[in-house]
Protein backbone atom coordinates (compact mmCIF):
# COMPACT_ATOMS: atom_id res chain seq x y z
CA UNK A 1 0.00 0.00 0.00
CA UNK A 2 1.39 3.43 -0.96
CA UNK A 3 -0.84 5.00 1.68
CA UNK A 4 -4.13 4.35 3.46
CA UNK A 5 -6.83 6.94 3.94
CA UNK A 6 -7.07 8.17 7.51
CA UNK A 7 -9.77 6.28 9.40
CA UNK A 8 -13.09 8.08 8.93
CA UNK A 9 -11.82 10.45 6.22
CA UNK A 10 -14.61 11.05 3.68
CA UNK A 11 -13.94 11.95 0.04
CA UNK A 12 -16.03 13.90 -2.42
CA UNK A 13 -16.16 17.03 -4.53
CA UNK A 14 -17.01 20.72 -4.28
CA UNK A 15 -18.74 23.16 -6.62
CA UNK A 16 -20.23 26.65 -6.69
CA UNK A 17 -23.61 27.62 -8.16
CA UNK A 18 -22.40 30.28 -10.62
CA UNK A 19 -19.67 28.02 -11.92
CA UNK A 20 -21.93 25.12 -12.87
CA UNK A 21 -25.59 26.09 -13.10
CA UNK A 22 -25.76 28.42 -16.09
CA UNK A 23 -28.56 30.92 -16.69
CA UNK A 24 -29.07 34.65 -17.20
CA UNK A 25 -29.91 35.60 -13.64
CA UNK A 26 -29.07 39.24 -13.16
CA UNK A 27 -25.98 38.72 -11.04
CA UNK A 28 -22.62 40.45 -11.06
CA UNK A 29 -20.88 37.75 -13.12
CA UNK A 30 -23.54 37.86 -15.85
CA UNK A 31 -22.85 41.59 -15.83
CA UNK A 32 -19.04 41.25 -15.76
CA UNK A 33 -19.27 38.97 -18.79
CA UNK A 34 -21.55 41.42 -20.64
CA UNK A 35 -18.94 44.11 -20.02
CA UNK A 36 -16.32 42.00 -21.82
CA UNK A 37 -14.21 40.99 -18.84
CA UNK A 38 -13.94 37.21 -19.20
CA UNK A 39 -10.58 36.36 -20.77
CA UNK A 40 -11.81 33.71 -23.22
CA UNK A 41 -15.18 35.47 -23.73
CA UNK A 42 -17.09 32.46 -22.44
CA UNK A 43 -20.45 33.16 -20.89
CA UNK A 44 -21.35 32.03 -17.34
CA UNK A 45 -24.94 31.75 -18.62
CA UNK A 46 -23.78 28.60 -20.45
CA UNK A 47 -21.41 26.97 -18.00
CA UNK A 48 -22.22 23.26 -17.44
CA UNK A 49 -26.01 23.71 -17.50
CA UNK A 50 -26.13 21.88 -14.21
CA UNK A 51 -29.43 23.53 -13.31
CA UNK A 52 -31.02 21.35 -15.99
CA UNK A 53 -28.60 18.42 -15.88
CA UNK A 54 -28.43 18.03 -12.10
CA UNK A 55 -29.90 14.54 -12.04
CA UNK A 56 -27.40 13.23 -14.53
CA UNK A 57 -24.60 14.84 -12.48
CA UNK A 58 -25.90 13.34 -9.25
CA UNK A 59 -26.07 9.89 -10.85
CA UNK A 60 -22.52 10.28 -12.10
CA UNK A 61 -21.30 11.33 -8.65
CA UNK A 62 -22.95 8.34 -7.06
CA UNK A 63 -21.56 6.00 -9.72
CA UNK A 64 -18.08 7.30 -8.88
CA UNK A 65 -18.63 6.52 -5.21
CA UNK A 66 -18.43 10.08 -3.89
CA UNK A 67 -19.35 10.20 -0.23
CA UNK A 68 -19.70 13.94 0.29
CA UNK A 69 -20.59 16.96 -1.83
CA UNK A 70 -20.15 20.67 -1.18
CA UNK A 71 -22.46 22.81 -3.31
CA UNK A 72 -23.93 26.30 -3.35
CA UNK A 73 -27.21 28.07 -3.97
CA UNK A 74 -27.44 31.08 -6.29
CA UNK A 75 -28.66 34.14 -4.40
CA UNK A 76 -29.83 35.92 -7.58
CA UNK A 77 -31.88 32.88 -8.51
CA UNK A 78 -33.78 32.52 -5.26
CA UNK A 79 -34.05 36.30 -4.75
CA UNK A 80 -34.28 37.84 -8.23
CA UNK A 81 -35.27 41.16 -6.65
CA UNK A 82 -34.87 42.49 -3.13
CA UNK A 83 -38.47 41.67 -2.20
CA UNK A 84 -39.06 38.52 -4.17
CA UNK A 85 -38.41 34.87 -3.38
CA UNK A 86 -38.66 32.43 -6.27
CA UNK A 87 -40.37 29.44 -4.69
CA UNK A 88 -39.81 27.32 -7.78
CA UNK A 89 -36.04 27.71 -7.37
CA UNK A 90 -36.30 26.67 -3.71
CA UNK A 91 -38.34 23.62 -4.72
CA UNK A 92 -35.77 22.81 -7.40
CA UNK A 93 -32.88 22.89 -4.91
CA UNK A 94 -34.86 20.77 -2.44
CA UNK A 95 -35.50 18.15 -5.09
CA UNK A 96 -31.82 18.04 -5.95
CA UNK A 97 -30.74 17.79 -2.29
CA UNK A 98 -33.22 15.04 -1.60
CA UNK A 99 -32.01 13.10 -4.62
CA UNK A 100 -28.35 13.38 -3.61
CA UNK A 101 -29.14 12.35 -0.05
CA UNK A 102 -31.09 9.33 -1.26
CA UNK A 103 -27.96 8.33 -3.14
CA UNK A 104 -26.13 8.40 0.20
CA UNK A 105 -24.14 11.58 -0.46
CA UNK A 106 -23.68 13.85 2.56
CA UNK A 107 -24.19 17.55 1.80
CA UNK A 108 -22.40 20.73 2.83
CA UNK A 109 -24.18 23.88 1.68
CA UNK A 110 -22.35 27.12 0.77
CA UNK A 111 -24.52 30.21 1.12
CA UNK A 112 -22.30 32.78 -0.62
CA UNK A 113 -19.65 31.92 -3.21
CA UNK A 114 -18.45 35.19 -4.82
CA UNK A 115 -21.65 36.09 -6.68
CA UNK A 116 -24.12 38.87 -5.82
CA UNK A 117 -27.48 39.71 -7.36
CA UNK A 118 -27.25 43.07 -9.16
CA UNK A 119 -29.84 44.61 -6.82
CA UNK A 120 -27.44 43.95 -3.92
CA UNK A 121 -24.39 45.02 -5.92
CA UNK A 122 -26.07 48.34 -6.81
CA UNK A 123 -26.63 49.06 -3.12
CA UNK A 124 -22.88 48.75 -2.58
CA UNK A 125 -22.83 45.03 -1.67
CA UNK A 126 -20.36 44.10 1.04
CA UNK A 127 -18.74 47.53 1.08
CA UNK A 128 -21.49 48.81 3.37
CA UNK A 129 -22.21 47.89 6.97
CA UNK A 130 -25.91 48.65 6.49
CA UNK A 131 -26.08 45.89 3.83
CA UNK A 132 -25.25 43.15 6.31
CA UNK A 133 -28.98 42.79 6.93
CA UNK A 134 -29.54 41.72 3.29
CA UNK A 135 -27.03 38.92 3.66
CA UNK A 136 -28.69 37.85 6.90
CA UNK A 137 -32.09 37.83 5.15
CA UNK A 138 -30.56 35.38 2.70
CA UNK A 139 -29.21 33.22 5.51
CA UNK A 140 -32.63 33.19 7.17
CA UNK A 141 -34.31 32.21 3.92
CA UNK A 142 -31.78 29.42 3.35
CA UNK A 143 -32.32 27.93 6.81
CA UNK A 144 -36.11 28.29 6.60
CA UNK A 145 -36.06 26.60 3.19
CA UNK A 146 -33.45 23.89 3.69
CA UNK A 147 -32.80 23.70 7.45
CA UNK A 148 -34.77 20.46 7.81
CA UNK A 149 -32.51 18.79 5.24
CA UNK A 150 -29.12 20.38 5.76
CA UNK A 151 -27.12 20.42 8.99
CA UNK A 152 -23.76 21.68 7.66
CA UNK A 153 -23.16 25.16 6.28
CA UNK A 154 -20.41 27.32 4.85
CA UNK A 155 -21.55 30.92 5.30
CA UNK A 156 -19.10 32.57 2.90
CA UNK A 157 -16.51 31.22 0.51
CA UNK A 158 -13.05 32.80 0.65
CA UNK A 159 -13.80 36.33 1.85
CA UNK A 160 -10.12 37.23 1.35
CA UNK A 161 -10.10 36.16 -2.31
CA UNK A 162 -13.40 37.91 -2.96
CA UNK A 163 -12.27 41.15 -1.28
CA UNK A 164 -8.82 41.31 -2.88
CA UNK A 165 -9.81 40.20 -6.40
CA UNK A 166 -12.83 42.53 -6.53
CA UNK A 167 -11.57 45.56 -4.60
CA UNK A 168 -7.75 45.50 -4.57
CA UNK A 169 -6.64 43.93 -7.86
CA UNK A 170 -9.78 45.15 -9.62
CA UNK A 171 -10.02 41.99 -11.71
CA UNK A 172 -13.45 40.83 -10.53
CA UNK A 173 -16.65 42.82 -10.30
CA UNK A 174 -17.00 45.66 -9.43
CA UNK A 175 -13.36 46.16 -10.49
CA UNK A 176 -12.12 48.56 -7.81
CA UNK A 177 -8.50 49.07 -6.84
CA UNK A 178 -8.28 50.22 -3.26
CA UNK A 179 -6.50 48.59 -0.35
CA UNK A 180 -8.74 50.33 2.20
CA UNK A 181 -11.87 49.19 0.41
CA UNK A 182 -10.65 45.57 0.25
CA UNK A 183 -9.99 45.61 4.01
CA UNK A 184 -13.40 47.12 4.67
CA UNK A 185 -15.07 44.36 2.64
CA UNK A 186 -13.19 41.71 4.64
CA UNK A 187 -14.37 43.38 7.85
CA UNK A 188 -18.00 43.54 6.68
CA UNK A 189 -17.83 39.90 5.61
CA UNK A 190 -16.44 38.96 9.02
CA UNK A 191 -19.50 40.53 10.63
CA UNK A 192 -21.72 38.72 8.11
CA UNK A 193 -20.14 35.39 8.97
CA UNK A 194 -20.35 35.80 12.74
CA UNK A 195 -23.97 36.97 12.65
CA UNK A 196 -24.82 34.16 10.23
CA UNK A 197 -23.12 31.64 12.51
CA UNK A 198 -25.30 32.75 15.42
CA UNK A 199 -28.46 32.88 13.32
CA UNK A 200 -28.07 29.43 11.77
CA UNK A 201 -27.47 27.86 15.18
CA UNK A 202 -30.41 29.69 16.73
CA UNK A 203 -32.82 28.83 13.94
CA UNK A 204 -31.90 25.17 13.72
CA UNK A 205 -32.05 24.83 17.47
CA UNK A 206 -35.58 26.23 17.40
CA UNK A 207 -36.37 23.69 14.69
CA UNK A 208 -35.28 20.96 17.14
CA UNK A 209 -31.87 20.05 15.72
CA UNK A 210 -28.65 19.80 17.69
CA UNK A 211 -26.29 18.65 14.94
CA UNK A 212 -25.66 22.03 13.27
CA UNK A 213 -22.16 22.77 12.01
CA UNK A 214 -21.13 26.10 10.56
CA UNK A 215 -17.88 27.54 9.23
CA UNK A 216 -16.56 29.74 6.44
CA UNK A 217 -14.30 28.40 3.68
CA UNK A 218 -10.90 29.96 4.18
CA UNK A 219 -8.55 30.30 1.23
CA UNK A 220 -5.07 29.89 2.65
CA UNK A 221 -1.74 29.81 0.90
CA UNK A 222 1.80 29.62 2.09
CA UNK A 223 3.75 32.87 1.78
CA UNK A 224 7.45 32.04 1.78
CA UNK A 225 10.18 34.65 1.20
CA UNK A 226 12.08 34.00 -2.02
CA UNK A 227 15.31 34.48 -0.12
CA UNK A 228 15.12 33.77 3.64
CA UNK A 229 18.21 35.90 4.24
CA UNK A 230 16.64 38.94 2.62
CA UNK A 231 14.93 41.14 5.25
CA UNK A 232 12.66 42.83 2.71
CA UNK A 233 11.43 39.46 1.43
CA UNK A 234 10.79 38.27 4.98
CA UNK A 235 8.91 41.37 6.07
CA UNK A 236 6.82 41.46 2.90
CA UNK A 237 5.92 37.78 3.33
CA UNK A 238 4.72 38.33 6.87
CA UNK A 239 2.75 41.44 5.86
CA UNK A 240 1.01 39.52 3.09
CA UNK A 241 0.27 36.72 5.51
CA UNK A 242 -1.35 39.11 7.91
CA UNK A 243 -3.38 41.20 5.43
CA UNK A 244 -4.51 38.29 3.30
CA UNK A 245 -5.22 35.57 5.84
CA UNK A 246 -4.07 35.79 9.44
CA UNK A 247 -6.02 38.83 10.62
CA UNK A 248 -9.23 37.50 9.14
CA UNK A 249 -8.66 34.02 10.62
CA UNK A 250 -8.65 35.30 14.20
CA UNK A 251 -11.57 37.62 13.56
CA UNK A 252 -13.75 34.99 11.92
CA UNK A 253 -12.84 32.10 14.23
CA UNK A 254 -12.58 33.88 17.55
CA UNK A 255 -14.08 37.36 17.23
CA UNK A 256 -10.62 38.78 17.95
CA UNK A 257 -10.07 41.82 15.80
CA UNK A 258 -6.70 43.24 14.92
CA UNK A 259 -5.73 45.79 12.31
CA UNK A 260 -6.70 45.95 9.47
CA UNK A 261 -9.93 44.05 10.30
CA UNK A 262 -12.55 46.20 12.06
CA UNK A 263 -15.25 45.05 14.45
CA UNK A 264 -18.18 46.98 12.98
CA UNK A 265 -20.88 45.19 14.97
CA UNK A 266 -18.93 45.09 18.25
CA UNK A 267 -19.08 41.30 18.42
CA UNK A 268 -17.66 39.69 21.53
CA UNK A 269 -14.78 37.25 21.51
CA UNK A 270 -16.09 33.68 21.22
CA UNK A 271 -15.92 30.68 18.90
CA UNK A 272 -17.61 31.23 15.58
CA UNK A 273 -16.68 28.11 13.62
CA UNK A 274 -17.53 24.49 14.37
CA UNK A 275 -14.96 23.08 11.99
CA UNK A 276 -11.98 24.34 10.05
CA UNK A 277 -12.79 24.67 6.35
CA UNK A 278 -9.61 25.01 4.32
CA UNK A 279 -9.35 25.70 0.59
CA UNK A 280 -5.78 25.08 -0.47
CA UNK A 281 -4.15 25.31 -3.88
CA UNK A 282 -0.65 26.73 -3.89
CA UNK A 283 2.21 28.70 -2.38
CA UNK A 284 3.26 32.28 -3.09
CA UNK A 285 6.98 33.03 -3.25
CA UNK A 286 7.50 36.55 -1.99
CA UNK A 287 10.01 39.11 -3.23
CA UNK A 288 7.55 42.02 -3.54
CA UNK A 289 3.96 42.85 -2.51
CA UNK A 290 2.23 40.47 -4.91
CA UNK A 291 2.00 36.95 -6.20
CA UNK A 292 5.37 35.37 -7.09
CA UNK A 293 6.15 31.80 -8.12
CA UNK A 294 9.25 29.87 -7.14
CA UNK A 295 11.69 29.28 -9.98
CA UNK A 296 12.10 25.67 -11.15
CA UNK A 297 9.16 24.51 -9.01
CA UNK A 298 6.50 22.12 -10.32
CA UNK A 299 3.54 24.05 -11.74
CA UNK A 300 0.03 23.62 -13.14
CA UNK A 301 -1.39 25.01 -16.41
CA UNK A 302 -2.00 28.42 -14.81
CA UNK A 303 1.59 28.61 -13.56
CA UNK A 304 0.63 28.01 -9.90
CA UNK A 305 3.25 26.14 -7.92
CA UNK A 306 2.29 22.62 -6.90
CA UNK A 307 3.36 22.45 -3.26
CA UNK A 308 1.68 19.56 -1.40
CA UNK A 309 3.36 20.22 1.97
CA UNK A 310 1.55 23.56 2.00
CA UNK A 311 -1.78 21.88 2.66
CA UNK A 312 -0.51 20.69 6.03
CA UNK A 313 1.32 23.91 6.83
CA UNK A 314 -1.93 25.83 6.30
CA UNK A 315 -4.07 23.30 8.16
CA UNK A 316 -1.66 23.39 11.10
CA UNK A 317 -1.72 27.15 11.19
CA UNK A 318 -5.51 27.17 11.40
CA UNK A 319 -5.57 24.35 13.94
CA UNK A 320 -3.26 26.36 16.17
CA UNK A 321 -5.90 29.09 16.27
CA UNK A 322 -8.90 26.80 16.69
CA UNK A 323 -8.78 23.16 17.75
CA UNK A 324 -11.58 21.78 15.60
CA UNK A 325 -11.99 19.01 13.00
CA UNK A 326 -10.52 19.93 9.63
CA UNK A 327 -12.41 19.76 6.36
CA UNK A 328 -10.42 20.38 3.20
CA UNK A 329 -13.29 22.16 1.47
CA UNK A 330 -11.33 22.68 -1.79
CA UNK A 331 -8.15 21.30 -3.32
CA UNK A 332 -7.46 20.69 -6.98
CA UNK A 333 -5.61 21.95 -10.01
CA UNK A 334 -5.90 23.33 -13.51
CA UNK A 335 -4.71 20.54 -15.79
CA UNK A 336 -6.46 20.94 -19.13
CA UNK A 337 -5.18 17.69 -20.56
CA UNK A 338 -5.55 15.70 -17.33
CA UNK A 339 -1.94 14.62 -17.47
CA UNK A 340 -0.85 15.28 -13.87
CA UNK A 341 -4.06 15.57 -11.85
CA UNK A 342 -3.69 11.99 -10.53
CA UNK A 343 -0.27 12.88 -9.19
CA UNK A 344 -1.62 16.10 -7.69
CA UNK A 345 -4.40 14.23 -5.88
CA UNK A 346 -1.99 11.53 -4.79
CA UNK A 347 0.59 13.99 -3.41
CA UNK A 348 -1.96 16.06 -1.50
CA UNK A 349 -3.95 13.15 -0.09
CA UNK A 350 -0.80 11.31 0.92
CA UNK A 351 0.47 14.41 2.73
CA UNK A 352 -2.87 14.78 4.51
CA UNK A 353 -2.99 11.14 5.51
CA UNK A 354 0.49 11.22 6.98
CA UNK A 355 -0.45 14.04 9.35
CA UNK A 356 -1.65 13.69 12.94
CA UNK A 357 -4.20 16.48 12.47
CA UNK A 358 -7.90 15.56 12.70
CA UNK A 359 -8.67 15.74 8.98
CA UNK A 360 -12.19 14.46 8.38
CA UNK A 361 -13.18 15.50 4.88
CA UNK A 362 -11.56 16.06 1.50
CA UNK A 363 -13.64 17.84 -1.16
CA UNK A 364 -11.86 17.82 -4.50
CA UNK A 365 -12.24 21.00 -6.55
CA UNK A 366 -14.13 20.20 -8.65
CA UNK A 367 -16.48 17.56 -9.94
CA UNK A 368 -17.03 18.71 -13.56
CA UNK A 369 -14.92 21.22 -15.47
CA UNK A 370 -16.74 24.51 -15.10
CA UNK A 371 -16.83 28.29 -15.49
CA UNK A 372 -13.54 29.32 -13.88
CA UNK A 373 -14.34 33.02 -13.24
CA UNK A 374 -11.94 35.23 -15.28
CA UNK A 375 -10.51 32.22 -17.13
CA UNK A 376 -14.00 31.15 -18.17
CA UNK A 377 -14.15 27.74 -19.82
CA UNK A 378 -10.44 27.72 -20.66
CA UNK A 379 -9.20 26.40 -17.30
CA UNK A 380 -10.26 22.85 -16.50
CA UNK A 381 -10.22 21.69 -12.88
CA UNK A 382 -12.71 18.79 -13.06
CA UNK A 383 -12.61 15.07 -12.40
CA UNK A 384 -15.14 14.90 -15.21
CA UNK A 385 -14.60 16.39 -18.67
CA UNK A 386 -17.31 18.67 -20.03
CA UNK A 387 -17.81 19.22 -23.75
CA UNK A 388 -19.43 22.65 -23.48
CA UNK A 389 -20.98 22.48 -26.97
CA UNK A 390 -22.90 19.27 -26.32
CA UNK A 391 -22.77 19.32 -22.50
CA UNK A 392 -21.63 15.70 -22.61
CA UNK A 393 -19.78 14.54 -19.49
CA UNK A 394 -16.91 12.03 -19.59
CA UNK A 395 -15.10 10.74 -16.52
CA UNK A 396 -11.39 11.58 -16.78
CA UNK A 397 -8.52 9.27 -15.82
CA UNK A 398 -8.20 11.36 -12.66
CA UNK A 399 -11.90 10.79 -11.97
CA UNK A 400 -11.37 7.04 -12.25
CA UNK A 401 -8.35 7.33 -9.99
CA UNK A 402 -10.35 9.25 -7.38
CA UNK A 403 -13.06 6.56 -7.41
CA UNK A 404 -10.43 3.86 -7.04
CA UNK A 405 -8.99 5.58 -3.96
CA UNK A 406 -12.43 5.68 -2.35
CA UNK A 407 -13.08 2.06 -3.24
CA UNK A 408 -9.69 0.81 -2.02
CA UNK A 409 -9.51 3.07 1.06
CA UNK A 410 -6.16 4.40 -0.13
CA UNK A 411 -3.65 3.92 -2.92
CA UNK A 412 -2.28 0.44 -3.51
CA UNK A 413 0.91 -0.24 -5.44
CA UNK A 414 -1.21 -1.38 -8.43
CA UNK A 415 -3.30 1.79 -8.39
CA UNK A 416 -0.15 3.90 -8.11
CA UNK A 417 1.49 2.16 -11.06
CA UNK A 418 -1.62 2.44 -13.16
CA UNK A 419 -2.44 6.12 -12.56
CA UNK A 420 0.41 8.05 -10.93
CA UNK A 421 3.80 6.59 -11.75
CA UNK A 422 4.23 8.14 -15.18
CA UNK A 423 2.71 11.53 -14.45
CA UNK A 424 4.73 14.72 -14.19
CA UNK A 425 3.99 18.36 -13.43
CA UNK A 426 5.17 21.22 -15.65
CA UNK A 427 8.55 22.73 -14.79
C1 LIG B 1 -12.56 29.20 -5.54
C2 LIG B 1 -13.20 28.51 -6.71
C3 LIG B 1 -12.25 28.49 -7.89
C4 LIG B 1 -10.99 27.77 -7.48
C5 LIG B 1 -9.96 27.60 -8.57
C6 LIG B 1 -11.11 28.83 -5.32
O1 LIG B 1 -10.39 29.90 -4.83
O2 LIG B 1 -13.33 29.03 -4.38
O3 LIG B 1 -14.41 29.14 -7.01
O4 LIG B 1 -12.81 27.94 -9.04
O5 LIG B 1 -10.39 28.48 -6.44
O6 LIG B 1 -9.45 28.83 -8.98
Amino acid sequence: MEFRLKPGLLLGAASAATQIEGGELGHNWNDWYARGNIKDRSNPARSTDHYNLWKEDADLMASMGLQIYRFGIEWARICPTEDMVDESAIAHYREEMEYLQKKGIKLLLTIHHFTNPMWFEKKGGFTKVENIRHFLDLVKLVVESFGDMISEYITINEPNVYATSSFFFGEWPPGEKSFARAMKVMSVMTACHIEAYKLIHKMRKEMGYDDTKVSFAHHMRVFDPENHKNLKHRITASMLDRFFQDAITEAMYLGKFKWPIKNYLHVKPGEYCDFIALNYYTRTTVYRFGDGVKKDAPKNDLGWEVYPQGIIRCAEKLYNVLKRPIYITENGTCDNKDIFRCRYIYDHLKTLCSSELPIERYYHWCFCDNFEWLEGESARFGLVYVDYETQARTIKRSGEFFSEIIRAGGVTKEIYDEYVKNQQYHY
Side-chain angles (χ1 to χ4, degrees), residues 12 50 79 95 97 119 166 181 193 195-196 203 205-206 227 250 261 266 287 297 303 319 343 369 409 414 422:
H50 173 82
C79 302
E95 195 185 351
M97 291 173 195
W119 61 259
S166 303
R181 217 36 174 189
H193 163 72
E195 293 308 311
M203 287 181 70
K205 200 170 172 196
E206 284 165 7
N227 174 358
E250 288 209 15
I261 306 297
H266 309 288
Y287 58 95
Y319 193 69
R343 180 168 286 286
D369 294 333
E414 292 70 41
N422 297 322

Side-chain angles (χ1 to χ4, degrees), residues 105-292:
I105 298 175
K106 193 167 172 51
L107 301 177
L108 169 62
L109 191 160
T110 306
I111 298 175
H112 185 272
H113 196 128
F114 299 155
T115 304
N116 301 324
M118 284 312 285
W119 61 259
F120 179 69
E121 193 83 343
K122 283 183 185 146
K123 284 173 184 281
F126 292 99
T127 66
K128 297 219 167 101
V129 177
E130 59 268 31
N131 287 346
I132 293 171
R133 66 186 178 87
H134 294 296
F135 176 72
L136 294 175
D137 285 346
L138 170 67
V139 174
K140 186 162 172 272
L141 175 64
V142 165
V143 182
E144 275 166 2
S145 308
F146 312 120
D148 59 330
M149 304 179 77
I150 303 285
S151 58
E152 300 189 351
Y153 298 83
I154 292 292
T155 55
I156 299 177
N157 182 66
E158 302 187 347
N160 53 352
V161 170
Y162 172 80
T164 50
S165 307
S166 303
F167 296 94
F168 180 67
F169 295 112
E171 291 178 335
W172 289 8
E176 288 189 28
K177 289 187 181 176
S178 151
F179 179 76
R181 217 36 174 189
M183 294 305 131
K184 175 152 192 202
V185 168
M186 278 205 225
S187 305
V188 170
M189 286 187 137
T190 303
C192 284
H193 163 72
I194 293 177
E195 293 308 311
Y197 176 91
K198 295 194 253 179
L199 181 60
I200 299 169
H201 273 284
K202 179 171 171 284
M203 287 181 70
R204 283 199 88 250
K205 200 170 172 196
E206 284 165 7
M207 290 162 97
Y209 300 106
D210 61 3
D211 58 349
T212 309
K213 289 186 195 153
V214 183
S215 191
F216 80 101
H218 201 354
H219 179 106
M220 292 277 293
R221 45 180 67 215
V222 172
F223 290 100
D224 275 340
E226 183 178 64
N227 174 358
H228 284 268
K229 291 190 186 135
N230 182 314
L231 185 63
K232 186 184 140 211
H233 292 186
R234 286 209 313 271
I235 293 176
T236 315
S238 69
M239 271 165 58
L240 283 169
D241 233 342
R242 175 162 184 159
F243 292 146
F244 187 68
Q245 49 197 27
D246 289 352
I248 201 171
T249 305
E250 288 209 15
M252 291 258 201
Y253 282 2
L254 301 174
K256 279 192 196 163
F257 289 77
K258 59 184 183 190
W259 186 79
I261 306 297
K262 286 196 181 134
N263 189 354
Y264 285 117
L265 299 186
H266 309 288
V267 294
K268 295 197 182 75
E271 283 193 5
Y272 299 112
C273 284
D274 303 308
F275 56 96
I276 289 169
L278 168 62
N279 294 0
Y280 174 80
Y281 289 87
T282 188
R283 152 164 84 174
T284 292
T285 292
V286 182
Y287 58 95
R288 63 178 168 88
F289 202 85
D291 204 3

Side-chain angles (χ1 to χ4, degrees), residues 16 19 70 113-114 157-158 161 172 219 279 281 302 304 330 365 370-373 381:
Q19 294 181 267
R70 173 181 169 220
H113 196 128
F114 299 155
N157 182 66
E158 302 187 347
V161 170
W172 289 8
H219 179 106
N279 294 0
Y281 289 87
L302 294 173
W304 303 357
E330 285 181 31
W365 183 273
N370 60 37
F371 176 77
E372 174 55 29
W373 310 114
F381 279 74

Side-chain angles (χ1 to χ4, degrees), residues 57-98:
D57 285 341
D59 288 342
L60 200 56
M61 265 180 224
S63 78
M64 288 169 68
L66 301 200
Q67 299 158 316
I68 48 174
Y69 179 47
R70 173 181 169 220
F71 72 106
I73 48 100
E74 187 69 82
W75 190 358
R77 189 189 288 285
I78 61 176
C79 302
T81 65
E82 186 181 340
D83 311 310
M84 192 192 149
V85 173
D86 183 342
E87 294 296 343
S88 70
I90 305 262
H92 178 109
Y93 283 124
R94 283 189 66 91
E95 195 185 351
E96 180 175 353
M97 291 173 195
E98 204 173 292

